[in-house]
Amino acid sequence: MFGTFKRPIGAVADVKELEYIAALHQTSTVIHTDGTVSAEDVLYFLRSRFGIDITSDDALDIVKGLSGTARLPLPRVEKKVWRLNEKTNATNDNDSHGNNRKRLRMKIPRCFKNAHNDGQEDELAKLEAQLQNLKENKTDTRLGWEFLAMPRIVNREVPKNVTSLVRYDMCQMMSILLIPSLLRIERYRFKAQKDAPPPRAPLFAGHLNTFSLLWMLSKVAHKIIKAPVILIQKARHKRLSILKDSLRPKPDTIILDVLRIMLGSLEDRDSPMTKLHDFVAQANSSATTKSTTATGKARYFPELKETMVTKGLIRRLLENCQQDEASRDDDLIEQMVEAVGGEGTILDERAFSRALVSDVSRWPLECEDDVTTTFFDVYGFGNVECNDYSKEITPEDLLAAPSRDEKWTQNLAAAIDDLSVKSSNSSFHSVGSDIRDIENAIKNDIAKIYDSTVAKDTTDSLTPVVGTIDSSTTSGSDSQQARNGSVDVNGSKPLRMGKIPEFEPTAGYIDYACDSFSSMNLVVFLFGFFLTLSGLVMSLVTYAGVGNNLNCTKSSFGCTLVETIVNWGVLALILCVCGILVIMPISLINQSYLSSFRQAIFVLGLLLLYLIVPLFEIFLVDYVGINVSQEYLGWRDDITNRVLFYSFYVFGVLTFLSTMRSFGALLVPKSLARRFAILRLLLVPNDILRSTNTKRAATYKLNSVLDRAYQIQTKSHKHTKARNADHETMLSFLFYGEKTAEAGGLLWALKNFSYLNKREGVWLHARLAIGQVLQIMVLVVFTLFWWNVTKYAAESSESKRDEIKEQSWGVGAEWALYFVPEGWMIYYSCIPAGIVCISVLVLLILITYPNTASLVLKFRSGFLPSLHDPQFSKFRKSSVYIYYNTGNMLYASIGMSGFFFIMVAGLLFLLFWPPTSEFMTLLVAWGLGLGITVGLKMFLTVLCGKNFWKGLYRRRPASANVSSLAYECWHLGLGGGVMISRLCQFLLAAAFWIGRIDSQFLSDEVEVFGYHFDTVPQKFFTEILVHEAHRHPFIERLSAMYLMRLKHGQYFGTDAGAHWRILFTLTLMPWLVKFSQARK
């Protein structure tokens, strides 16, 4: 019930999570079980997640640049050519070998004529033979060629859907995910030593006198006054230090150890030189002493020998990792040699680290320490600003970009002036009459000028970069410049600004798929405000008689049908209009990067208008005293309308307070709000906090992946005399890669709430939070109505009995009193039923978050299949139906509580009501007797099972056979009890599972002619998967790498660097080689 399960953890679960990421990232209707992700998938992901409208070329560059295939041409496919002249006259022709051949006149592509060495000469000969036979048989060759068994004549060309053909595999995915982790290790190992702090000067150096004593006292007083600030700064610095240390992968020497494994795998363990080297190394070291890592754990990896970088060494490394295609690429091998430092360089830890991260050193590593979003980390501004404020990047914005080169700024300003003059010329207007075309042309020219002015100062992408700026010593402006791309992360040279993407509107303030809005509380309160307002409007419309003017009779089917359609149409119109007029405009203030006071004031004014209008009606009716009808006063005094009215103002006030929080965030600088914990909790948008936790969760999870792989490598290298280290590693992966841990459940979810949010990136997203609030509203409303309705029904029953007693009906009065229930019967029936309903509603509310978290972890750990599940594609097809879940949670809880109330109250009432009490008493007695008998039989069955059976075999065959025959005969009389118990179980389970849309009640095998009866949980699963496809920590990390490549182009990621990272990944995790496209 509470979702408790054995969660798989370990290296196998890490592979399953990569498969899950691939299944989420793919957009095709057919699942690619090899786990590859295409450029088309990247294109649609960036458009859905950030509202970035990139071209196919950009998507291809992202995939090819990050996966290490940018040097390769685009894939080509074979295009069939079936063109043949009507007249098939034969002519004599000489082929390339000088042989005379009878050939038919055909329109053969040029590429086919020059490709005799590709085995197509035989194909042409077969075609000629078939045509000659047709001619000899006097067959009309102009008849349907599609029916002839002709060989394929092809023309290889780049297909139009090339974005779906260019893909990267799971091994390349892991190498992309590890980029920030490798950067963090490299900079921690080789960062520049900080200058030692200068020695403290004494308070006073000289003779002690009155003036010096006063000066000393003033300094001491100044230090005492400043002490709280210093303590706060020290505590903040300590917290940041702990955070940085927790984000760093362990152990610190993992790059060195992987290099040892990689080079050690090339050695021949049986060669005499290797044996001699091992003997000398063993003699020089103590038999009990082992090299240890920084954490003090014993290490069993091969010793690192002095190895020079050569092309042959790189080729052997690629072949050893089964990268056969890359090992035959001489240009790639030359680039990899240059990336590591050139041929002849000693391949040590520093050189290997330089090869891994030199091409991706522009990643702002300090962004994981900042409270920011992923898009802000890359571009320095929020994508929501460009989407919803229609803020375009103008030439003036380029001038306002931070830069330390004044000469470049002057050149760019002059270029803008020249382009502005050019735009006014008639010749320039001939390019495009639309002003949009002129602005785009100006932007493109400015970008070219920008690149040309900075390219002289920009280092080559293969130049090793090892130094860094320590984020703790970097000023805020420098860090911002580095993030914007105008200053190198090394703080030395200006870089190109990079490509600024085009945006399309996303309406992020109502984006409930990836929760890109500012405040979750505002979303929840606003939906409550909308529902209560819609209820009041619907009640008012019903009072006005809209839809009820047809005056249908009970026997008029057509009129009733039309009236029903009109009523439901009016309800749909009211809900849609109220949603558009209430939710959309008020949600404008719910943006993560709100920077317009005008919009904030508009939203506050509109919300106050909605709240003041009902008060104005109360003022006119109650205080001014305008004349209204008695029916209208009765409508106002109705208890349902009063509850709606008070709920409307409760949610309205809560919504107003939430909007004031967003308005207050405009008044406080963002840097100040992110610095202090209290202001960060109150003013920083929830989306930024969620993105920060997701970024850090990705780091924590990848650190765990590295640690688990490192542990497997350590166990496999314990036996230094093992001849096949790869074989030992795969055995260790099979033996130690599968582990489980207890997960799920209410107590587990409450205990690990912070862990799930910060380490796993799991939270209750918008639609489920709204559904939870609606369930709480159902609980409150049911509690109020349950007690009032029960009291009203009991009092009405008693008054009716008193009325019957007062009238002298004679014998009829006794019969009437016999059938009219007493008040205590209603109380004793409805009170227990209400308590049961409230209990199951509270239970339903409590288990929603634990079951959601358990479902997410089940998918991530492979407990529920994803990539290799044929049914997983149905979730992609039903993504449009995720809007069902909010309403399903509301009405499912209503249906569950109503079903339980009717069932429990009805059974108790039948037990107390005189006309049925005797029958119900006998039924209860019969049921108890049958239950006791069945319980006795089960006890005897268990007793015989322990004595006569062992597993699936019989200890005493004769006794077992006799007892089985006796029980079988006995069960023929008690079989009805099984039927009744099963019916009761199904009814109780159905009553409870009506309210649960997060769990499947009916199996997939329960279907009739392909129709599945229980499809509501499928929509809930789809909601979870849609959210995961946008906000999974690994996908958040991938999106950051996509944006970096989109911004910097060839300056972020090279083929050489990508293949070095692939070598690192496959060396540390060789079990990923089966997912490599190069191997296939």
Side-chain angles (χ1 to χ4, degrees):
M1 179 183 295
F2 294 101
T4 304
F5 69 104
K6 291 288 186 179
R7 178 191 177 187
I9 58 175
V12 176
D14 295 336
V15 176
K16 294 296 183 180
E17 188 158 11
L18 285 179
E19 294 180 353
Y20 173 59
I21 295 299
L24 290 175
H25 208 329
Q26 294 175 6
T27 57
S28 59
T29 55
V30 179
I31 298 178
H32 296 274
T33 56
D34 56 355
T36 56
V37 177
S38 67
E40 184 180 21
D41 303 333
V42 175
L43 186 148
Y44 287 121
F45 165 72
L46 292 178
R47 183 177 299 175
S48 178
R49 176 66 177 87
F50 301 107
I52 300 177
D53 189 12
I54 65 174
T55 62
S56 299
D57 294 336
D58 294 332
L60 291 172
D61 179 71
I62 290 173
V63 172
K64 293 169 70 66
L66 292 178
S67 62
T69 58
R71 72 196 184 284
L72 300 179
L74 294 175
R76 297 175 179 268
V77 297
E78 297 179 349
K79 181 180 180 181
K80 295 182 179 180
V81 180
W82 298 107
R83 295 181 299 176
L84 184 67
N85 290 340
E86 285 188 3
K87 295 182 179 181
T88 58
N89 297 327
T91 59
N92 293 329
D93 249 345
N94 293 329
D95 59 9
S96 58
H97 301 285
N99 300 321
N100 188 273
R101 171 175 299 183
K102 183 161 293 201
R103 183 175 299 185
L104 297 177
R105 292 179 181 175
M106 300 179 63
K107 294 181 180 180
I108 302 176
R110 182 177 301 175
C111 64
F112 180 79
K113 294 179 179 179
N114 299 329
H116 298 299
N117 296 329
D118 295 338
Q120 297 184 1
E121 188 73 17
D122 297 335
E123 299 283 345
L124 185 59
K126 294 178 182 179
L127 176 61
E128 292 175 357
Q130 291 184 5
L131 293 178
Q132 188 66 22
N133 292 333
L134 289 173
K135 186 177 180 181
E136 292 176 355
N137 296 331
K138 298 181 181 181
T139 304
D140 190 357
T141 57
R142 291 173 292 181
L143 298 178
W145 286 96
E146 64 273 12
F147 299 104
L148 300 178
M150 299 175 59
R152 184 187 301 174
I153 304 177
V154 297
N155 182 14
R156 300 187 65 84
E157 63 179 19
V158 178
K160 295 182 180 179
N161 60 338
V162 67
T163 53
S164 62
L165 300 178
V166 177
R167 318 179 72 85
Y168 68 85
D169 53 49
M170 287 171 51
C171 177
Q172 294 166 330
M173 179 192 296
M174 177 56 71
S175 66
I176 296 171
L177 291 171
L178 291 178
I179 288 176
S181 301
L182 295 175
L183 269 170
R184 189 174 288 273
I185 298 172
E186 180 266 340
R187 292 183 182 178
Y188 177 79
R189 293 282 288 175
F190 302 108
K191 66 181 180 179
Q193 296 293 333
K194 299 180 182 179
D195 297 333
R200 291 186 178 182
L203 290 177
F204 180 76
H207 299 287
L208 189 63
N209 51 32
T210 305
F211 175 76
S212 63
L213 183 61
L214 293 176
W215 184 82
M216 291 173 59
L217 292 176
S218 65
K219 294 290 290 182
V220 171
H222 177 72
K223 288 183 176 294
I224 293 174
I225 295 173
K226 201 175 179 180
V229 179
I230 295 175
L231 291 176
I232 294 175
Q233 292 177 351
K234 287 184 177 180
R236 181 173 178 270
H237 180 72
K238 183 178 180 180
R239 180 175 57 84
L240 291 177
S241 300
I242 296 174
L243 175 62
K244 292 179 182 178
D245 184 69
S246 65
L247 293 174
R248 191 177 69 253
K250 305 294 188 304
D252 302 328
T253 59
I254 189 171
I255 293 180
L256 174 61
D257 295 332
V258 170
L259 179 60
R260 289 178 172 180
I261 299 171
M262 187 168 58
L263 295 180
S265 63
L266 299 180
E267 298 179 358
D268 184 6
R269 307 305 302 177
D270 294 330
S271 63
M273 293 301 298
T274 302
K275 291 182 178 180
L276 178 61
H277 184 275
D278 295 341
F279 176 77
V280 173
Q282 185 177 3
N284 293 334
S285 61
S286 175
T288 58
T289 305
K290 300 173 183 175
S291 57
T292 57
T293 61
T295 58
K297 182 179 292 187
R299 185 175 57 207
Y300 303 93
F301 302 119
E303 293 295 330
L304 183 62
K305 301 178 182 179
E306 188 172 302
T307 305
M308 294 181 59
V309 177
T310 60
K311 294 182 180 179
L313 176 66
I314 304 301
R315 183 173 284 105
R316 290 179 61 196
L317 291 174
L318 292 171
E319 292 175 350
N320 191 46
C321 291
Q322 302 188 26
Q323 303 296 304
D324 298 331
E325 183 179 355
S327 65
R328 294 190 295 267
D329 193 336
D330 295 333
D331 294 336
L332 173 64
I333 293 176
E334 185 176 355
Q335 293 176 12
M336 293 179 68
V337 170
E338 293 297 327
V340 80
E343 196 162 3
T345 304
I346 302 300
L347 187 56
D348 55 2
E349 182 183 6
R350 181 181 291 272
F352 188 42
S353 302
R354 181 167 58 243
L356 290 173
V357 300
S358 61
D359 60 324
V360 291
S361 58
R362 294 190 179 186
W363 168 249
L365 194 58
E366 70 281 354
C367 68
E368 295 181 16
D369 306 333
D370 296 339
V371 184
T372 54
T373 61
T374 301
F375 193 92
F376 189 89
D377 294 335
V378 178
Y379 282 98
F381 61 89
N383 58 311
V384 181
E385 294 177 3
C386 300
N387 289 348
D388 300 319
Y389 284 99
S390 300
K391 179 181 177 182
E392 300 177 356
I393 306 300
T394 61
E396 290 74 14
D397 296 330
L398 294 178
L399 283 177
S403 177
R404 301 186 302 178
D405 193 351
E406 297 180 358
K407 183 178 179 181
W408 173 86
T409 305
Q410 296 174 0
N411 295 336
L412 184 59
I416 292 174
D417 295 337
D418 295 339
L419 291 173
S420 300
V421 173
K422 189 188 300 184
S423 64
S424 61
N425 297 334
S426 59
S427 60
F428 187 81
H429 281 284
S430 63
V431 177
S433 58
D434 190 6
I435 190 64
R436 182 72 176 176
D437 297 336
I438 299 175
E439 293 177 355
N440 292 333
I442 292 176
K443 287 183 186 179
N444 295 332
D445 291 341
I446 291 172
K448 294 178 182 178
I449 296 172
Y450 192 99
D451 291 339
S452 62
T453 54
V454 182
K456 298 179 181 179
D457 297 327
T458 305
T459 57
D460 188 16
S461 59
L462 291 178
T463 302
V465 179
V466 182
T468 183
I469 289 180
D470 189 11
S471 59
S472 60
T473 60
T474 304
S475 63
S477 60
D478 292 339
S479 177
Q480 180 69 19
Q481 291 175 6
R483 185 178 288 118
N484 286 335
S486 59
V487 175
D488 195 349
V489 290
N490 300 295
S492 58
K493 298 178 181 179
L495 302 176
R496 65 193 293 269
M497 178 183 294
K499 182 177 180 179
I500 299 175
E502 296 289 338
F503 294 90
E504 61 179 19
T506 60
Y509 46 86
I510 55 173
D511 189 355
Y512 306 132
C514 59
D515 293 353
S516 59
F517 44 80
S518 173
S519 174
M520 180 74 75
N521 295 331
L522 179 57
V523 172
V524 173
F525 297 150
L526 184 57
F527 259 85
F529 180 74
F530 150 73
L531 288 176
T532 52
L533 177 61
S534 301
L536 286 174
V537 174
M538 190 64 194
S539 177
L540 187 61
V541 169
T542 304
Y543 161 75
V546 177
N548 297 324
N549 298 328
L550 299 179
N551 297 324
C552 299
T553 61
K554 294 183 179 180
S555 60
S556 178
F557 173 79
C559 182
T560 304
L561 177 63
V562 173
E563 183 180 3
T564 304
I565 295 175
V566 170
N567 289 334
W568 285 109
V570 170
L571 176 62
L573 180 64
I574 290 174
L575 290 174
C576 293
V577 171
C578 289
I580 294 175
L581 296 181
V582 175
I583 295 179
M584 283 197 65
I586 296 178
S587 296
L588 288 174
I589 203 173
N590 199 20
Q591 303 182 62
S592 298
Y593 292 94
L594 183 64
S595 58
S596 173
F597 282 95
R598 184 181 302 175
Q599 277 195 341
I601 294 174
F602 166 75
V603 170
L604 292 176
L606 181 64
L607 183 57
L608 289 176
L609 178 63
Y610 287 144
L611 294 175
I612 289 175
V613 169
L615 295 178
F616 184 70
E617 185 268 344
I618 293 175
F619 174 76
L620 292 178
V621 174
D622 296 341
Y623 295 95
V624 177
I626 62 174
N627 294 324
V628 293
S629 63
Q630 293 295 327
E631 296 180 356
Y632 180 75
L633 293 178
W635 175 83
R636 289 183 61 193
D637 295 336
D638 185 73
I639 183 172
T640 304
N641 295 330
R642 283 186 173 275
V643 171
L644 286 174
F645 181 79
Y646 295 138
S647 302
F648 168 76
Y649 269 96
V650 169
F651 282 108
V653 172
L654 293 175
T655 304
F656 182 79
L657 295 177
S658 300
T659 55
M660 288 300 297
R661 171 188 175 275
S662 301
F663 185 77
L666 292 174
L667 305 177
V668 180
K670 293 183 176 62
S671 59
L672 185 63
R674 294 191 184 100
R675 185 172 183 180
F676 298 100
I678 298 178
L679 294 179
R680 184 166 60 248
L681 181 63
L682 295 177
L683 300 179
V684 174
N686 297 144
D687 176 47
I688 298 178
L689 296 178
R690 287 190 294 266
S691 297
T692 303
N693 291 333
T694 306
K695 290 188 302 181
R696 294 173 182 173
T699 302
Y700 290 132
K701 290 173 69 66
L702 287 170
N703 291 348
S704 300
V705 171
L706 290 175
D707 181 67
R708 285 190 281 265
Y710 185 83
Q711 296 298 329
I712 290 178
Q713 289 286 355
T714 302
K715 292 176 180 178
S716 63
H717 285 80
K718 269 188 177 181
H719 307 288
T720 55
K721 295 182 180 180
R723 298 189 177 186
N724 194 342
D726 294 338
H727 179 68
E728 293 291 333
T729 302
M730 295 307 299
L731 288 178
S732 299
F733 174 73
L734 295 176
F735 292 155
Y736 308 109
E738 294 188 15
K739 299 179 181 179
T740 58
E742 191 75 23
L746 178 60
L747 298 179
W748 177 86
L750 296 177
K751 181 180 178 181
N752 298 278
F753 181 81
S754 178
Y755 168 82
L756 291 172
N757 190 14
K758 297 181 179 180
R759 295 299 180 101
E760 294 288 345
V762 178
W763 67 83
L764 195 67
H765 45 283
R767 284 193 178 92
L768 300 186
I770 296 171
Q772 286 265 268
V773 173
L774 294 179
Q775 289 175 343
I776 295 174
M777 291 175 61
V778 170
L779 175 62
V780 174
V781 172
F782 175 81
T783 304
L784 295 176
F785 276 82
W786 158 66
W787 179 251
N788 290 319
V789 170
T790 301
K791 185 178 179 180
Y792 174 77
E795 292 177 353
S796 299
S797 178
E798 289 293 338
S799 62
K800 191 65 177 177
R801 289 180 64 88
D802 295 339
E803 181 181 350
I804 294 173
K805 290 177 181 180
E806 292 177 358
Q807 298 178 0
S808 57
W809 287 3
V811 180
E814 295 181 359
W815 276 99
L817 293 175
Y818 179 75
F819 283 100
V820 176
E822 300 181 23
W824 67 269
M825 299 179 185
I826 297 177
Y827 277 120
Y828 285 3
S829 302
C830 294
I831 290 179
I835 294 175
V836 171
C837 291
I838 292 174
S839 301
V840 295
L841 279 174
V842 171
L843 182 61
L844 180 66
I845 294 170
L846 291 177
I847 66 176
T848 299
Y849 174 72
N851 287 334
T852 302
S854 298
L855 182 62
V856 171
L857 296 181
K858 286 178 181 178
F859 273 115
R860 291 184 180 182
S861 60
F863 189 88
L864 293 178
S866 56
L867 186 65
H868 300 287
D869 183 13
Q871 301 296 328
F872 193 81
S873 59
K874 66 183 180 182
F875 296 122
R876 299 180 185 174
K877 300 176 184 178
S878 59
S879 58
V880 69
Y881 300 108
I882 58 176
Y883 63 86
Y884 273 72
N885 292 309
T886 304
N888 287 344
M889 293 181 71
L890 171 64
Y891 291 103
S893 58
I894 294 175
M896 183 192 68
S897 57
F899 195 177
F900 265 105
F901 186 84
I902 293 174
M903 186 169 56
V904 176
L907 290 176
L908 291 177
F909 180 77
L910 291 177
L911 184 63
F912 300 140
W913 194 38
T916 58
S917 62
E918 184 178 357
F919 172 76
M920 289 298 297
T921 303
L922 293 176
L923 186 63
V924 171
W926 180 81
L928 289 176
L930 180 62
I932 294 172
T933 306
V934 172
L936 177 61
K937 188 197 72 170
M938 293 179 62
F939 172 76
L940 295 176
T941 303
V942 173
L943 186 63
C944 292
K946 288 184 178 181
N947 294 324
F948 302 154
W949 290 83
K950 182 65 175 180
L952 300 178
Y953 300 100
R954 293 164 295 180
R955 291 179 177 178
R956 302 175 183 176
S959 302
N961 291 336
V962 172
S963 62
S964 297
L965 179 60
Y967 290 141
E968 189 169 0
C969 296
W970 189 6
H971 186 70
L972 291 176
L974 298 178
V978 176
M979 182 271 297
I980 295 174
S981 64
R982 193 178 184 193
L983 179 62
C984 295
Q985 292 175 19
F986 282 178
L987 287 175
L988 291 174
F992 185 72
W993 256 263
I994 285 177
R996 293 194 57 184
I997 69 170
D998 59 335
S999 180
Q1000 196 166 4
F1001 180 63
L1002 297 179
S1003 172
D1004 290 333
E1005 299 178 356
V1006 182
E1007 61 175 347
V1008 176
F1009 300 110
Y1011 173 76
H1012 294 272
F1013 290 91
D1014 193 12
T1015 59
V1016 172
Q1018 178 181 338
K1019 298 177 178 61
F1020 183 83
F1021 290 178
T1022 306
E1023 166 79 15
I1024 298 296
L1025 294 177
V1026 167
H1027 188 267
E1028 283 277 280
H1030 289 85
R1031 301 305 290 264
H1032 189 284
F1034 285 177
I1035 289 184
E1036 195 81 7
R1037 173 68 62 84
L1038 287 175
S1039 68
M1041 299 299 105
Y1042 295 160
L1043 294 176
M1044 288 294 292
R1045 178 68 184 186
L1046 179 64
K1047 176 183 178 182
H1048 297 289
Q1050 62 181 351
Y1051 294 92
F1052 185 85
T1054 61
D1055 289 354
H1059 277 83
W1060 275 113
R1061 288 186 289 274
I1062 290 174
L1063 289 179
F1064 175 89
T1065 302
L1066 291 179
T1067 303
L1068 184 61
M1069 294 171 274
W1071 46 86
L1072 292 179
V1073 73
K1074 72 173 184 178
F1075 301 102
S1076 177
Q1077 295 183 102
R1079 175 177 175 270
K1080 301 171 184 177

mmCIF file of all heavy atoms in Angstrom, residues 135-147:
data_model
loop_
_atom_site.group_PDB
_atom_site.id
_atom_site.type_symbol
_atom_site.label_atom_id
_atom_site.label_comp_id
_atom_site.label_asym_id
_atom_site.label_seq_id
_atom_site.Cartn_x
_atom_site.Cartn_y
_atom_site.Cartn_z
ATOM 1 N N LYS A 135 12.828 -8.883 -73.755
ATOM 2 C CA LYS A 135 12.778 -8.478 -75.162
ATOM 3 C C LYS A 135 12.615 -9.684 -76.080
ATOM 4 O O LYS A 135 11.872 -9.658 -77.059
ATOM 5 C CB LYS A 135 14.052 -7.706 -75.507
ATOM 6 C CG LYS A 135 14.024 -7.126 -76.910
ATOM 7 C CD LYS A 135 15.273 -6.302 -77.173
ATOM 8 C CE LYS A 135 15.220 -5.727 -78.597
ATOM 9 N NZ LYS A 135 16.443 -4.932 -78.890
ATOM 10 N N GLU A 136 13.347 -10.765 -75.744
ATOM 11 C CA GLU A 136 13.235 -11.963 -76.563
ATOM 12 C C GLU A 136 11.846 -12.570 -76.484
ATOM 13 O O GLU A 136 11.342 -13.144 -77.457
ATOM 14 C CB GLU A 136 14.276 -12.979 -76.127
ATOM 15 C CG GLU A 136 15.708 -12.535 -76.436
ATOM 16 C CD GLU A 136 16.725 -13.515 -75.896
ATOM 17 O OE1 GLU A 136 16.286 -14.477 -75.212
ATOM 18 O OE2 GLU A 136 17.940 -13.312 -76.128
ATOM 19 N N ASN A 137 11.229 -12.450 -75.330
ATOM 20 C CA ASN A 137 9.871 -12.979 -75.168
ATOM 21 C C ASN A 137 8.806 -12.013 -75.675
ATOM 22 O O ASN A 137 7.618 -12.254 -75.500
ATOM 23 C CB ASN A 137 9.605 -13.301 -73.698
ATOM 24 C CG ASN A 137 10.509 -14.401 -73.219
ATOM 25 O OD1 ASN A 137 10.921 -15.267 -73.985
ATOM 26 N ND2 ASN A 137 10.819 -14.369 -71.918
ATOM 27 N N LYS A 138 9.267 -10.898 -76.288
ATOM 28 C CA LYS A 138 8.368 -9.886 -76.849
ATOM 29 C C LYS A 138 7.396 -9.361 -75.798
ATOM 30 O O LYS A 138 6.196 -9.220 -76.041
ATOM 31 C CB LYS A 138 7.611 -10.443 -78.029
ATOM 32 C CG LYS A 138 8.518 -10.857 -79.191
ATOM 33 C CD LYS A 138 7.712 -11.373 -80.352
ATOM 34 C CE LYS A 138 8.621 -11.802 -81.504
ATOM 35 N NZ LYS A 138 7.862 -12.289 -82.680
ATOM 36 N N THR A 139 7.929 -9.110 -74.617
ATOM 37 C CA THR A 139 7.109 -8.550 -73.544
ATOM 38 C C THR A 139 7.241 -7.031 -73.564
ATOM 39 O O THR A 139 8.324 -6.490 -73.751
ATOM 40 C CB THR A 139 7.583 -9.082 -72.189
ATOM 41 O OG1 THR A 139 7.547 -10.504 -72.250
ATOM 42 C CG2 THR A 139 6.683 -8.605 -71.063
ATOM 43 N N ASP A 140 6.136 -6.350 -73.402
ATOM 44 C CA ASP A 140 6.164 -4.885 -73.410
ATOM 45 C C ASP A 140 6.858 -4.401 -72.160
ATOM 46 O O ASP A 140 6.359 -4.562 -71.047
ATOM 47 C CB ASP A 140 4.732 -4.343 -73.455
ATOM 48 C CG ASP A 140 4.713 -2.841 -73.724
ATOM 49 O OD1 ASP A 140 5.811 -2.252 -73.809
ATOM 50 O OD2 ASP A 140 3.603 -2.291 -73.839
ATOM 51 N N THR A 141 7.996 -3.804 -72.351
ATOM 52 C CA THR A 141 8.776 -3.358 -71.196
ATOM 53 C C THR A 141 8.233 -2.081 -70.584
ATOM 54 O O THR A 141 8.756 -1.609 -69.583
ATOM 55 C CB THR A 141 10.226 -3.114 -71.624
ATOM 56 O OG1 THR A 141 10.239 -2.149 -72.695
ATOM 57 C CG2 THR A 141 10.864 -4.403 -72.077
ATOM 58 N N ARG A 142 7.210 -1.508 -71.164
ATOM 59 C CA ARG A 142 6.651 -0.289 -70.578
ATOM 60 C C ARG A 142 5.618 -0.599 -69.492
ATOM 61 O O ARG A 142 5.061 0.291 -68.886
ATOM 62 C CB ARG A 142 5.986 0.546 -71.671
ATOM 63 C CG ARG A 142 6.981 1.146 -72.643
ATOM 64 C CD ARG A 142 6.280 1.806 -73.803
ATOM 65 N NE ARG A 142 5.609 0.804 -74.636
ATOM 66 C CZ ARG A 142 4.922 1.118 -75.734
ATOM 67 N NH1 ARG A 142 4.810 2.374 -76.117
ATOM 68 N NH2 ARG A 142 4.335 0.170 -76.442
ATOM 69 N N LEU A 143 5.320 -1.891 -69.284
ATOM 70 C CA LEU A 143 4.355 -2.255 -68.258
ATOM 71 C C LEU A 143 5.007 -2.185 -66.891
ATOM 72 O O LEU A 143 6.225 -2.335 -66.769
ATOM 73 C CB LEU A 143 3.824 -3.655 -68.514
ATOM 74 C CG LEU A 143 3.065 -3.821 -69.838
ATOM 75 C CD1 LEU A 143 2.646 -5.275 -69.992
ATOM 76 C CD2 LEU A 143 1.875 -2.902 -69.923
ATOM 77 N N GLY A 144 4.153 -2.032 -65.845
ATOM 78 C CA GLY A 144 4.559 -1.846 -64.455
ATOM 79 C C GLY A 144 5.898 -2.425 -64.026
ATOM 80 O O GLY A 144 6.025 -3.607 -63.775
ATOM 81 N N TRP A 145 6.894 -1.568 -63.926
ATOM 82 C CA TRP A 145 8.224 -2.030 -63.531
ATOM 83 C C TRP A 145 8.263 -2.445 -62.067
ATOM 84 O O TRP A 145 9.167 -3.165 -61.652
ATOM 85 C CB TRP A 145 9.235 -0.919 -63.762
ATOM 86 C CG TRP A 145 9.551 -0.702 -65.193
ATOM 87 C CD1 TRP A 145 9.006 0.212 -66.038
ATOM 88 C CD2 TRP A 145 10.498 -1.438 -65.966
ATOM 89 N NE1 TRP A 145 9.535 0.106 -67.289
ATOM 90 C CE2 TRP A 145 10.479 -0.907 -67.277
ATOM 91 C CE3 TRP A 145 11.359 -2.509 -65.708
ATOM 92 C CZ2 TRP A 145 11.262 -1.383 -68.294
ATOM 93 C CZ3 TRP A 145 12.150 -2.985 -66.719
ATOM 94 C CH2 TRP A 145 12.104 -2.437 -68.008
ATOM 95 N N GLU A 146 7.279 -2.012 -61.300
ATOM 96 C CA GLU A 146 7.345 -2.367 -59.896
ATOM 97 C C GLU A 146 7.112 -3.854 -59.660
ATOM 98 O O GLU A 146 7.418 -4.370 -58.591
ATOM 99 C CB GLU A 146 6.308 -1.564 -59.096
ATOM 100 C CG GLU A 146 4.867 -1.856 -59.478
ATOM 101 C CD GLU A 146 4.403 -0.993 -60.639
ATOM 102 O OE1 GLU A 146 5.266 -0.348 -61.272
ATOM 103 O OE2 GLU A 146 3.205 -0.964 -60.909
ATOM 104 N N PHE A 147 6.590 -4.546 -60.669
ATOM 105 C CA PHE A 147 6.350 -5.974 -60.506
ATOM 106 C C PHE A 147 7.537 -6.822 -60.931
ATOM 107 O O PHE A 147 7.498 -8.042 -60.801
ATOM 108 C CB PHE A 147 5.111 -6.399 -61.307
ATOM 109 C CG PHE A 147 3.865 -5.710 -60.852
ATOM 110 C CD1 PHE A 147 3.320 -4.676 -61.584
ATOM 111 C CD2 PHE A 147 3.251 -6.092 -59.682
ATOM 112 C CE1 PHE A 147 2.173 -4.048 -61.157
ATOM 113 C CE2 PHE A 147 2.100 -5.461 -59.255
ATOM 114 C CZ PHE A 147 1.561 -4.436 -59.997
#
